[in-house]
Amino acid sequence: MARLFLGIDSSTQSLSAVVIDLDTRKVVYEKSLNFDQALPQFKTKNGVLVSRDPLVKHSSPLLWAAALDLLFAQMKTDKVALENILAVSGCGQQHGSVYLNEKAAAVLENLDPKKSLVENLTGVFARKTSPIWMDSSTAKECAEIRKKLGGIKFTASRTGSDTFERFTGPQIRKFYKTDPKAFAKTAHIALVSSFMASLLAGKIAPIDFGDGAGMNLMDIRRKNWNHDALKATAPSLVKKLPLLAESGRAVGPVSKYFVEKFGLNAEALATVWTGDNPASVIGLGLIQPGQVAISLGTSDTFFGTMEKCQTDESGEGHVFGSPAGGYLTLICFKNGSLAREKIRELYKIADWKKFGELVAQTPPGNNGGILLPWFEAEIVPRVNQPGIRRFELDEKNAAANCRAVFEAQMLSMRLHSQWMQVAPEKIFVTGGASNDRALLQVLADVMNCKVLRIEISKSAALGAALQAAHGWLVAADQNPKWEKLVAGFTAPVPGSEIKPDKKAAKVYDQMLEKYAACEYDAL
Ligand code: XUL
């Protein structure tokens, strides 16, 4: 019997599955369901509910549950050998939170396969919607918690990050302040990851050290709840939060709901999930300390692995627990493909191929033209009032604006990642925009480092599947080694290496200062 493992990624815009065969070391199945298209009745746009306040971004936990039903139904239709799956793990968009009432635990234990998950779960929420990572409406709560914890440096060194608007602690505090009655009715607070894990396990699942670190509530070094942070956030949190645990650890057998309804193996293990970025780190094979990757997705993220915990005193970057043990550092830039898409729309550029061609037509350094692409409130640097700004850049020149948006994104990454003090000899790159050589050349030149493409469209779901395999091997006392486990699944695309151009790299060394001055000016 093939040893299969299922990884699920509950991201902002879609729910994806990857199934791996551990013996042939192959991905045997991949599928994605786009929320807006597959479940239009939830009325989301790019996975987000419409809101009048541009700083408020919520989604619906029932939408994620409905998508899980659809995904399993799809796997059944596609004849995935669900009876051969030995463990299921997953990951979720980070920071988003789900508020469950006192009925939830019993409902989870008795999920009725004759009903849908949505029918089962109606009535278990203390709050109908979930604030997600794109929300930036909690500046006040961030300031309050930061002050109680003793400022940026202390907050970062205790919890792994300064307080951030999208982090769960400030979001919980806002909920407590604005709707104390509903907060009082909240028996369990889950993250997107632990909520989805709870559905699979049929009980309240722990939060892992990777996603837990995105809450401003976990002690990053001790990996337990930090009581000062809990107290600074809201009352009685210790009762409302689940246990913290290693990702991939077995929670128990999967809920009978999935066994009876879809034919999932009754002995398959349900495991602890993690955040999408920690899972991607595994999916990209970043196991060794000092490795660096850039993911060009809805948000652009810059991450690296490290053995010891070193936090960013300036408070821009984050440290999370890595599913492979140790730590990962992460910087999240909200205006990633979000901004590239906006420029494409603005200049009516037919496709990404054309976009890349326009970038290639313009010189490195863009003749001095700079664009700050803050279409949405930006996380790094902190920009609360969205708006784009041009410096010595002709608004009418489409090609120059295409180059400008990507150059600014890469210069910002270089500038704001300096605290990590890593000098990688190569950078792995993944995500939608990583298919374009012209863009990767800009990346290699700005970072003055060779760049290799990893073509895993679903690195997070793959990481989750590997995490399921790891958890199952641990439970079977087989003492798995991460390096061995990921080998073969995560090699860079042959021939994808791009070397920096020495002349262009010099241009960017100089441009960095000018870029920093523009940021300073704009802020
Ligand atoms: C990371 C972050 C985003 C989400 C995207 O801190 O907010 O990358 O995890 O799903």
Side-chain angles (χ1 to χ4, degrees), residues 296 406-414 442-443 446-447:
L296 302 171
F406 200 66
E407 278 187 348
Q409 290 173 328
M410 296 305 105
L411 286 163
S412 175
M413 260 189 201
R414 175 163 161 190
V442 175
L443 166 55
V446 172
M447 299 292 179

Side-chain angles (χ1 to χ4, degrees), residues 166-229:
R166 69 193 193 287
F167 273 44
T168 325
Q171 291 289 345
I172 292 173
R173 181 162 179 79
K174 182 181 164 197
F175 180 48
Y176 156 67
K177 280 168 53 185
T178 52
D179 197 349
K181 276 198 190 134
F183 180 78
K185 289 202 176 120
T186 304
H188 308 277
I189 298 175
L191 292 181
V192 178
S193 59
S194 72
F195 171 65
M196 298 299 277
S198 302
L199 298 182
L200 256 315
K203 56 170 121 154
I204 303 287
I207 286 176
D208 88 302
F209 307 137
D211 228 8
M215 302 175 81
N216 286 134
L217 293 174
M218 188 186 94
D219 186 307
I220 190 68
R221 290 181 174 82
R222 298 199 182 118
K223 296 185 174 166
N224 54 18
W225 296 121
N226 179 296
H227 285 275
D228 292 336

Side-chain angles (χ1 to χ4, degrees), residues 481-521:
K481 294 274 174 292
W482 274 108
E483 260 138 75
K484 261 178 108 181
L485 196 64
V486 302
F489 283 107
T490 57
V493 177
S496 70
E497 183 176 309
I498 293 188
K499 292 204 177 73
D501 175 272
K502 288 221 170 78
K503 259 202 202 146
K506 270 211 184 114
V507 171
Y508 290 123
D509 279 346
Q510 281 164 11
M511 196 175 177
L512 189 67
E513 246 173 69
K514 182 170 172 193
Y515 171 81
C518 290
E519 258 193 11
Y520 189 77
D521 186 68

Side-chain angles (χ1 to χ4, degrees), residues 223-505:
K223 296 185 174 166
N224 54 18
W225 296 121
N226 179 296
H227 285 275
D228 292 336
L230 299 192
K231 239 171 70 194
T233 300
S236 324
L237 273 189
V238 82
K239 284 191 236 144
K240 300 184 201 285
L241 290 167
L243 295 172
L244 283 160
E246 253 165 28
S247 56
R249 204 198 71 186
V251 184
V254 290
S255 159
K256 282 203 191 82
Y257 178 88
F258 297 92
V259 177
E260 288 171 26
K261 192 163 192 156
F262 304 108
L264 187 61
N265 178 355
E267 279 165 32
L269 287 182
T271 69
V272 177
W273 288 31
T274 187
D276 53 0
N277 294 296
S280 265
V281 164
I282 299 298
L284 294 171
L286 303 189
I287 306 295
Q288 297 280 0
Q291 287 181 314
V292 168
I294 290 173
S295 161
L296 302 171
T298 308
S299 63
D300 286 343
T301 47
F302 181 104
F303 38 73
T305 49
M306 55 185 187
E307 216 169 305
K308 288 206 189 103
C309 179
Q310 185 203 329
T311 48
D312 175 16
E313 292 193 354
S314 77
E316 281 181 346
H318 316 303
V319 178
F320 298 148
S322 164
Y327 293 92
L328 67 102
T329 55
L330 177 132
I331 313 173
C332 179
F333 304 85
K334 194 195 279 177
N335 289 283
S337 74
L338 217 91
R340 295 185 285 275
E341 269 159 31
K342 281 268 163 56
I343 290 286
R344 222 188 93 183
E345 264 170 40
L346 222 65
Y347 290 96
K348 303 195 171 53
I349 297 160
D351 51 30
W352 289 113
K353 190 166 166 271
K354 184 76 194 153
F355 187 95
E357 280 165 19
L358 290 172
V359 170
Q361 280 168 22
T362 47
N366 218 8
N367 300 313
I370 287 181
L371 171 85
L372 299 179
W374 300 329
F375 288 95
E376 294 269 348
E378 181 50 76
I379 296 168
V380 176
R382 224 180 258 261
V383 178
N384 288 328
Q385 292 196 329
I388 67 169
R389 292 150 180 90
R390 292 185 177 83
F391 298 82
E392 294 173 43
L393 178 69
D394 178 5
E395 196 179 335
K396 294 199 195 81
N397 184 338
N401 278 269
C402 290
R403 174 171 282 274
V405 68
F406 200 66
E407 278 187 348
Q409 290 173 328
M410 296 305 105
L411 286 163
S412 175
M413 260 189 201
R414 175 163 161 190
L415 183 68
H416 296 286
S417 62
Q418 281 167 348
W419 67 273
M420 286 186 191
Q421 294 177 0
V422 285
E425 64 176 77
K426 56 187 174 213
I427 295 177
F428 297 109
V429 57
T430 178
S434 68
N435 284 328
D436 193 286
R437 280 191 87 85
L439 296 188
L440 291 196
Q441 188 64 57
V442 175
L443 166 55
D445 296 344
V446 172
M447 299 292 179
N448 197 4
C449 180
K450 68 181 176 202
V451 167
L452 291 136
R453 188 155 62 88
I454 298 197
E455 201 178 51
I456 299 168
S457 55
K458 296 181 177 54
S459 57
L462 172 62
L466 289 162
Q467 180 173 272
H470 190 269
W472 183 82
L473 291 166
V474 168
D477 269 339
Q478 295 193 24
N479 192 20
K481 294 274 174 292
W482 274 108
E483 260 138 75
K484 261 178 108 181
L485 196 64
V486 302
F489 283 107
T490 57
V493 177
S496 70
E497 183 176 309
I498 293 188
K499 292 204 177 73
D501 175 272
K502 288 221 170 78
K503 259 202 202 146

